[in-house]
Amino acid sequence: MRVILGVERLSKYDSLIRGKRIGLITNFSGILPDWSQDTAHLLVEAGYELVKIFTPEHGLYGAEAGESVEDMKHPKLGVPVVSLYGSRRTPAPEDLRDLDLLMYDIQDVGLRYYTYIYTMCYSLQAAASMGIPYVILDRPNPLGGRIISGARIDPEIHSFVGDYELPMRYGLTIGETARYFLKYAGIQADLTVIELENYSRDMLFPEQGLLWNTPSPALPTFNSTVCYSGGCLFEALNISEGRGSDKPFQIYGAPFIDMDDLYKDVRERVDDSKIAFRRRSFVPSTSKYQGELCFGLEFHPLKPDCDFLMTALILMKAIWTRYPDSVELQKIPGSIEGHHLSILSGNIWAEEYLSDRMSEKQLREGWASQCAAFEDYAADIRLYR
């Protein structure tokens, strides 16, 4: 029995939506489960008054990560499309004055550094300030709701890729995440979550009965999303995370790596029945080392409940230890010690682990303590058991 999406249950909330001037926050992932229709066209065909569309990172059609997106007019529907990943991150008052309701329908991945959730939070705050009701068409978390992992983000280094003391993998649906934001940030929004049916927090993507709904260009499969949990940290180093290859976030490497040595180093440290890996050379077509031959490792989750985070850090440390003169940390002004790795990982622990100032045991214990605190805090905002 497959999961029934929020977008499929619109008719049950007709009295809430009918006759309202709607602003829809969506992108290419706002679509019916059989891919037959996107949410924007669905609203129009059902006779609802769609006035405006807002888009997050990647825009309406899938721009590259981090690429600024401009406002436009929808080529078929003729309504304005306002980018929330260009000159602004949140709707301005003038963007909302002609609206009676904001609606959100975007597929999330359940990882803190994915920017869609902050677009949602900022637009929730904007709606609350204007007294506009907010409706979320809930979608399942492909990584499920049981595995909570990684450090909670230090409030001192909050950014658009990490905020509100979320752990790296937080185990909430988008509707539950909105409820968390309301509680944590004290947002006084008029929020309605159109809930899923046939869904429980134990369900990972393979159990949800749905087609894979690509949430962004670099996550084309469920396996790439599993490895993105942890693999995203490589964006803070001069090591390719596989962007521009056939396996983004499943392949890691650089021209200066000897993949036989790296395989041996990682094999000695990783003994996980849920993950397989092999030596792999590749030539990225975009991003780091574009057009250059790289050497590294390819990973493949063997079970859907694989948590790749610690494996990613073990891999990172193996490269860091063997190639200390070649590995570079990207520096970002304002982060802890100026390093982007702190912003992505949540605090300085990952850097301390790499430099042997923190053991793997201490790292795991620190994560476990913070995740338990998050689980307790989030217990009353959960919609699914």
Side-chain angles (χ1 to χ4, degrees), residues 5 29 53 60 97 107 127 160 165 172 203 239 252-253 260 268 278 287 292 302 309 334-335 344 364-365 379:
L5 305 179
S29 71
I53 294 173
L60 195 60
R97 286 198 182 102
Q107 178 62 56
F160 201 57
E165 290 193 78
L172 304 173
M203 300 172 70
I239 305 296
Y252 301 86
D260 292 321
E268 290 175 351
R278 65 168 181 166
S287 194
E292 296 185 55
L302 298 175
L309 175 53
S335 67
L344 290 176
R364 288 181 182 273
E365 288 175 348

Side-chain angles (χ1 to χ4, degrees), residues 120-300:
M120 178 187 68
C121 185
Y122 296 175
S123 59
L124 264 171
Q125 292 172 319
S129 69
M130 299 284 286
I132 298 173
Y134 199 104
V135 174
I136 289 178
L137 310 183
D138 212 2
R139 290 180 179 267
N141 186 331
L143 296 177
R146 290 293 177 189
I147 300 175
I148 312 295
S149 64
R152 298 182 76 176
I153 185 76
D154 186 333
E156 294 183 1
I157 56 169
H158 70 91
S159 73
F160 201 57
V161 292
D163 206 348
Y164 305 101
E165 290 193 78
L166 285 169
M168 190 176 299
R169 181 170 173 171
Y170 47 83
L172 304 173
T173 69
I174 194 65
E176 291 173 324
T177 305
R179 286 161 58 87
Y180 174 83
F181 287 149
L182 262 57
K183 178 179 179 178
Y184 182 92
I187 303 171
Q188 301 298 311
D190 179 3
L191 173 66
T192 299
V193 178
I194 300 184
E195 297 180 27
L196 304 165
E197 290 184 349
N198 305 329
Y199 178 77
S200 78
R201 59 183 294 200
D202 293 312
M203 300 172 70
L204 295 124
F205 170 71
E207 291 80 52
Q208 293 166 9
L210 299 167
L211 297 173
W212 179 250
N213 185 4
T214 303
S216 65
L219 297 180
T221 66
F222 174 61
N223 283 339
S224 62
T225 304
V226 171
C227 292
Y228 185 56
S229 176
C232 180
L233 301 182
F234 278 86
E235 294 184 342
L237 280 71
N238 62 329
I239 305 296
S240 171
E241 63 280 356
R243 289 185 184 273
S245 77
D246 62 330
K247 294 287 184 68
F249 293 103
Q250 291 183 247
I251 303 176
Y252 301 86
F256 57 80
I257 289 175
D258 183 310
M259 59 186 178
D260 292 321
D261 289 340
L262 182 60
Y263 180 86
K264 178 177 179 292
D265 293 344
V266 176
R267 176 55 66 194
E268 290 175 351
R269 298 288 309 283
V270 174
D271 182 18
D272 190 341
S273 63
K274 296 179 181 179
I275 191 82
F277 58 95
R278 65 168 181 166
R279 303 162 185 85
R280 178 72 189 271
S281 57
F282 61 104
V283 179
S285 61
T286 60
S287 194
K288 301 172 192 171
Y289 304 115
Q290 180 177 353
E292 296 185 55
L293 181 59
C294 294
F295 304 93
L297 301 180
E298 175 185 352
F299 294 83
H300 182 82

